Amino acid sequence: MSHLFDTYVRMPISLVRGQGAWLFDDQDRRYLDALSGIAVCSLGHAHPRIAAALADQAARLIHTANIVHVPQQEALADRLAAISGLERSFIANSGAEAIECALKLARRHAHARHVANPAVLVASDSFHGRTLAALSASGNAAIQAGFGPLVDGFVRVPYGDPQAAAGAFANHPNLVAVLVEPIQGEGGVRVPPAGYLGTLRELCDRHDALLMLDEIQAGIGRTGRWFAFQHEPGLRPDVVTVAKALGNGVPIGACLAREEVAALLPPGSHGTTFGGNPLACRVALEVLAIMAEDDILARASRAGQRLLGRLRQELEGVAGVVEVRGRGLMVGVELAEPAGELKDAAMARGLILNITRGNVIRLLPPLIIDDEQVERIVQVVAELVREKFANSPSSAAVSRSSSGLIDSSALPSAG
Ligand SMILES: *Cc1c(COP(=O)(O)O)cnc(C)c1O
């Protein structure tokens, strides 16, 4: 009997070591990582520079608490400001904590404006984390079920719909902030229409509301830019949350804000014991340095185009495939039917991936992935999808494999 809470359905393997984009289990079987521990290990596993920075800092000083200056924390905030254009950072330990900080900024902003009953505009199918406020902000009934009363003060509109957001501002004069993901991750790798964030920016400007972007999954290079919002020219949010890839696996999160917005939280108004300790900040600084020096953003962009392009070649128009979409190395293949079983099927063929919203294959490989590894992902995913729908009577009739578009016999089977 396990003494752990039974909160996860886990794949039946134990991974014990990694090397670049490869993972090895306790039987020394090898898996290609197309998930990066959910968008975390963007530089791959066992990166020598990360290991060295971690060991060096551990031998010097791990923790002091925020009762003193922490030079690594100051340096990290400098770097985050340089890459985001947001002058201030609060360093926390996780994504959900970064979201809590953002939501507290929204409440402070409301009180400064004397809005009595403030609300934050959020989107359908969003995911912002598992703390009470973060799950209340999330558009996912499953993660909220049984946890009521939820934190109130949220107005929800369909994601990616600028008219719906404008309508919400017209109907709710108490809106003080917007919180959205620039690309939805858990929501099924949904990329909003071009200009969506710009419209939200205009609405926020007109209504003195904060534009808060949750970049916890899409940020830190994943889409080929430091932040996904940087694909929209000239856009400047008020608040940005990051976490996942920032520490390449060492727990760290951050809430970034414009100078005037950060000023809403003066001394004593917010805090954390572990957050921003020398160890986590030293590693995050190393992550950002490696990404800059090794041109990781450009690599992610190129590998992402290749992955998306090859998946589209193999799968678009194939029975059972609704859409192949994404940006950079944040890619989703939406299927016409629930596909939870493909996670274990992929694992059996030596590929780690996951399924979101029941029917979207989500691919978040390390940003250091090479062309051959991209091709291996494409081959396994295409094989799994074709096999799934070849056996499904509803789609067999329209399978294009017989038309010559895809010749399944030409594909090598992946080990
Ligand atoms: C993972 C995630 C979170 C929550 O981060 P945790 O570190 O798990 O608390 C919040 N928002 C988005 C978009 C995420 O992908």
Side-chain angles (χ1 to χ4, degrees):
M1 179 206 123
S2 172
H3 293 283
L4 291 171
F5 279 26
D6 203 16
T7 50
Y8 296 103
V9 179
R10 299 174 193 268
M11 289 194 246
I13 51 168
S14 302
L15 299 169
V16 294
R17 68 188 172 92
Q19 186 65 59
W22 294 103
L23 289 162
F24 299 83
D25 71 10
D26 52 5
Q27 316 291 311
D28 217 32
R29 273 187 303 240
R30 189 173 81 148
Y31 304 84
L32 181 58
D33 187 0
L35 190 58
S36 306
I38 315 184
V40 169
C41 302
S42 283
L43 296 174
H45 305 281
H47 194 293
R49 283 184 62 178
I50 302 288
L54 196 50
D56 180 70
Q57 191 58 46
R60 286 169 198 275
L61 187 65
I62 292 176
H63 177 84
T64 61
N66 288 299
I67 52 168
V68 293
H69 290 279
V70 181
Q72 296 86 349
Q73 199 184 116
E74 298 279 352
L76 178 58
D78 290 353
R79 275 303 289 151
L80 289 171
I83 62 176
S84 70
L86 299 176
E87 294 90 352
R88 298 273 179 167
S89 286
F90 182 89
I91 313 295
N93 308 288
S94 67
E97 277 179 75
I99 291 289
E100 291 286 333
C101 182
L103 293 172
K104 287 174 78 171
L105 282 171
R107 290 279 173 93
R108 282 276 169 132
H109 178 63
H111 295 151
R113 277 181 49 198
H114 306 290
V115 177
N117 186 26
V120 175
L121 190 68
V122 291
S124 57
D125 300 321
S126 62
F127 180 78
H128 299 295
R130 301 285 195 150
T131 60
L132 261 181
L135 72 85
S136 302
S138 299
N140 180 334
I143 70 164
Q144 296 175 339
F147 295 115
L150 299 181
V151 174
D152 64 13
F154 295 104
V155 170
R156 194 173 307 282
V157 288
Y159 183 69
D161 179 347
Q163 269 91 47
F169 271 101
N171 293 329
H172 301 273
N174 60 334
L175 284 177
V176 294
V178 172
L179 173 65
V180 294
E181 295 154 86
I183 297 175
Q184 286 190 331
E186 305 304 303
V189 192
R190 292 178 62 196
V191 184
Y196 177 58
L197 298 180
T199 303
L200 295 180
R201 177 70 277 175
E202 282 164 29
L203 287 167
C204 286
D205 288 342
R206 202 172 318 142
H207 297 276
D208 192 10
L210 302 177
L211 179 60
M212 311 200 298
L213 299 181
D214 181 349
E215 293 256 10
I216 291 167
Q217 189 159 147
I220 315 294
R222 173 61 45 193
T223 69
R225 302 266 165 97
W226 285 116
F227 299 94
F229 78 78
Q230 292 167 339
H231 290 280
E232 287 216 19
L235 187 97
R236 189 172 183 235
D238 300 299
V239 174
V240 165
T241 55
V242 293
K244 294 197 162 90
L246 184 57
N248 209 57
V250 171
I252 186 168
C255 179
L256 285 46
R258 287 196 296 114
E259 182 79 41
E260 315 86 274
V261 177
L264 292 164
L265 292 177
S269 61
H270 191 48
T272 162
T273 300
F274 291 139
N277 80 20
L279 187 78
C281 291
R282 171 79 184 275
V283 172
L285 277 166
E286 194 69 9
V287 167
L288 298 179
I290 295 166
M291 284 189 174
E293 289 162 32
D294 292 355
D295 227 359
I296 297 292
L297 272 52
R299 282 180 66 175
S301 182
R302 274 197 304 275
Q305 271 164 24
R306 189 179 191 93
L307 178 60
L308 202 59
R310 284 288 297 120
L311 281 170
R312 283 182 169 149
Q313 253 177 338
E314 294 287 341
L315 290 175
E316 258 176 13
V318 168
V321 177
V322 176
E323 191 180 24
V324 181
R325 59 182 174 243
R327 180 165 269 167
L329 282 171
M330 188 169 179
V331 170
V333 178
E334 181 175 342
L335 303 176
E337 291 171 19
E341 81 284 0
L342 293 188
K343 191 168 58 162
D344 284 353
M347 188 198 73
R349 291 171 203 214
L351 183 70
I352 306 286
L353 51 71
N354 88 342
I355 308 293
T356 61
R357 290 210 75 74
N359 66 333
V360 180
I361 300 173
R362 181 169 49 165
L363 302 169
L364 300 164
L367 308 184
I368 49 139
I369 196 162
D370 66 27
D371 289 354
E372 205 178 307
Q373 291 165 334
V374 166
E375 190 55 29
R376 192 181 173 97
I377 295 174
V378 171
Q379 297 298 341
V380 175
V381 168
E383 209 173 81
L384 291 170
V385 170
R386 271 197 310 273
E387 281 170 20
K388 174 179 172 67
F389 290 98
N391 300 330
S392 143
S394 61
S395 51
V398 282
S399 170
R400 301 257 198 102
S401 52
S402 57
S403 72
L405 192 69
I406 286 178
D407 178 10
S408 58
S409 61
L411 292 168
S413 72

